[in-house]
Amino acid sequence: MTRDPPGYHDLQTSAEPRQHCWISLIHKGPKMTQSTQQLSVLGAGVLGGQIGWHSAFKGKNVTIYDISEESLERCRKTHANYAQQYIKDLGASNSDIEKTRRRIIYTTDLQDAGDSADIVIEAVPEIPKIKIDLYEKLAKYLPDHTIVATNSSTLLPSEFAQHTGRPDRFCALHFANLIWISNLAEIMVHPDTSEETVRIITEFAIEIGMVPIPVLKEKNGYVLNTWLVALLNSSQSLITNGVSRPEEIDRTFMIVNRGTKFGPCGMMDIIGMKTCYDILHHWGEHDNDEQMKKNADYIKTHFLDKGKQGMLGGEGYYTYPKPEFLAKNFLEVPDKSMVNEIVRNVLNK
């Protein structure tokens, strides 16, 4: 178990998140007394790594757990890139970055992740069996007061509550990718979640600079992914079925949403191809959706089987750290010298 650095990519985003304390309701109840200082994040992938780094940046002591040293090493390297991103995007100082690094522990020992945690955030793959197995193994290590939250992007807390051994202290806390810019946290409960748990999780979200988004009842996809998965699946269908290319899909999206930094295919790269595959495969099988199954198979064949993981691995639909959608001329009216190339594309030659 070692303390180590953070890091990431060269995506040039500039909007700095603004804090909004919308939830005055939490201040009407009794003041929170439980500590939220010790955070454990289970899963060192794209979002798990972001949640861990950002929480440490905001002053929390963080343990990041994964089953393999290889996964943890990738997370360390990613954190090293985040350091530069936080300096650029958030104006962090070198001192801020060093303090963040010192607050993070990386481990493959689940007991180390569980036995001193005030809050555990689970961020493992969107595969129910993997989550259930982890919750059942984790339960014996947790102190009585520990709150467990799933960062699942599409699955419901009620599917896992009984497996945690503490259904009253379990809920969903779902973050968006690029957490330091897209600073929201969706909060969803199941029927047995206690009010105290909701209060503590909400205050924790605010403490780490998130805008809490209440989800009023259980819904697969929450707020964000209800529209995002539909967008990404529809975009992938255009590619799978040979209707359009990634660059044109993203140009279309970015032109009609002027000011956005990337389109659906760029989003898939940022989310990570493994996560995109897991979601499309799960719901394709669950709903017997043949197009969604084909989309999942396309991602597996064209990306995962070739070792292309998306932005975190350096290549997905685009090549990083300088993806085409960041080029200054990506959305410009083309010169007429481009007519022949455009004609070939239209005629699919």
Side-chain angles (χ1 to χ4, degrees):
M1 185 169 69
T2 57
R3 286 193 181 274
D4 258 281
Y8 209 36
H9 54 61
D10 264 341
L11 257 186
Q12 296 171 3
T13 49
S14 59
E16 190 166 327
R18 293 176 293 176
Q19 284 196 324
H20 302 80
C21 272
W22 58 271
I23 192 154
S24 59
L25 279 176
I26 64 171
H27 300 298
K28 295 181 180 179
K31 184 173 177 58
M32 182 189 73
T33 56
Q34 177 178 320
S35 171
T36 59
Q37 185 60 26
Q38 302 294 331
L39 171 68
S40 288
V41 179
L42 310 183
V46 176
L47 255 180
Q50 290 184 26
I51 294 165
W53 172 257
H54 189 78
S55 298
F57 179 74
K58 289 293 187 177
K60 302 300 181 183
N61 297 324
V62 177
T63 299
I64 297 177
Y65 163 84
D66 208 291
I67 58 174
S68 73
E69 283 291 349
E70 181 183 6
S71 297
L72 293 176
E73 184 57 31
R74 282 197 301 268
C75 187
R76 289 185 184 98
K77 291 178 179 178
T78 300
H79 282 174
N81 296 329
Y82 286 152
Q84 297 307 310
Q85 202 69 33
Y86 274 53
I87 290 171
K88 186 177 78 171
D89 286 349
L90 302 184
S93 67
N94 289 330
S95 174
D96 293 332
I97 297 303
E98 185 54 36
K99 288 176 182 176
T100 301
R101 287 173 170 155
R102 290 201 300 265
R103 294 184 187 118
I104 299 177
I105 291 173
Y106 305 85
T107 185
T108 56
D109 188 325
L110 187 58
Q111 183 172 356
D112 286 341
D115 62 10
S116 62
D118 296 318
I119 293 179
V120 172
I121 297 177
E122 169 269 303
V124 302
E126 290 290 270
I127 300 172
K129 185 179 186 305
I130 291 177
K131 293 182 184 290
I132 289 170
D133 287 349
L134 179 62
Y135 288 136
E136 291 179 346
K137 291 174 182 175
L138 175 69
K140 61 185 176 184
Y141 299 127
L142 296 177
D144 290 342
H145 75 275
T146 305
I147 289 174
V148 179
T150 179
N151 181 56
S152 174
S153 56
T154 58
L155 304 172
L156 303 179
S158 60
E159 298 177 52
F160 308 110
Q162 297 306 316
H163 299 283
T164 67
R166 57 189 63 225
D168 62 318
R169 303 186 77 73
F170 178 70
C171 65
L173 185 67
H174 176 240
F175 297 83
N177 257 293
L178 304 183
I179 183 174
W180 65 96
I181 297 296
S182 301
N183 62 319
L184 62 83
E186 298 177 290
I187 300 172
M188 180 193 291
V189 302
H190 65 95
D192 293 328
T193 305
S194 71
E195 182 176 340
E196 178 192 27
T197 296
V198 180
R199 188 180 305 282
I200 292 169
I201 280 291
T202 302
E203 293 205 7
F204 169 78
I206 291 172
E207 287 169 2
I208 63 169
M210 297 295 106
V211 178
I213 305 295
V215 183
L216 306 185
K217 61 181 180 180
E218 286 194 299
K219 166 74 171 68
N220 296 107
Y222 303 58
V223 176
L224 174 60
N225 279 346
T226 293
W227 60 262
L228 180 59
V229 171
L231 171 65
L232 300 186
N233 185 52
S234 296
S235 300
Q236 183 59 54
S237 294
L238 292 172
I239 298 168
T240 302
N241 298 334
V243 176
S244 188
R245 301 182 309 157
E247 297 87 352
E248 309 307 345
I249 293 169
D250 283 359
R251 278 194 183 94
T252 302
F253 183 88
M254 293 168 73
I255 286 172
V256 299
N257 294 278
R258 286 285 180 182
T260 190
K261 300 296 183 181
F262 36 77
C265 298
M267 290 182 201
M268 284 191 271
D269 280 355
I270 293 167
I271 292 166
M273 289 302 176
K274 178 64 165 61
T275 298
C276 291
Y277 169 79
D278 286 343
I279 291 171
L280 295 176
H281 176 73
H282 175 81
W283 289 107
E285 294 293 334
H286 183 277
D287 297 336
N288 197 26
D289 186 322
E290 292 302 324
Q291 182 63 59
M292 194 172 275
K293 292 180 189 178
K294 290 179 182 177
N295 292 344
D297 186 63
Y298 184 100
I299 290 174
K300 181 178 184 297
T301 301
H302 288 78
F303 296 102
L304 299 181
D305 289 350
K306 297 179 180 180
K308 298 179 180 180
Q309 297 292 325
M311 183 174 66
L312 194 59
E315 186 175 1
Y317 275 117
Y318 299 93
T319 301
Y320 298 85
K322 296 181 178 179
E324 186 180 348
F325 60 77
L326 287 182
K328 290 182 179 179
N329 64 351
F330 189 68
L331 303 182
E332 290 181 359
V333 176
D335 186 82
K336 287 206 293 187
S337 63
M338 298 292 294
V339 167
N340 287 340
E341 180 180 340
I342 295 169
V343 169
R344 286 195 297 271
N345 288 333
V346 171
L347 297 178
N348 201 21
K349 289 186 176 181

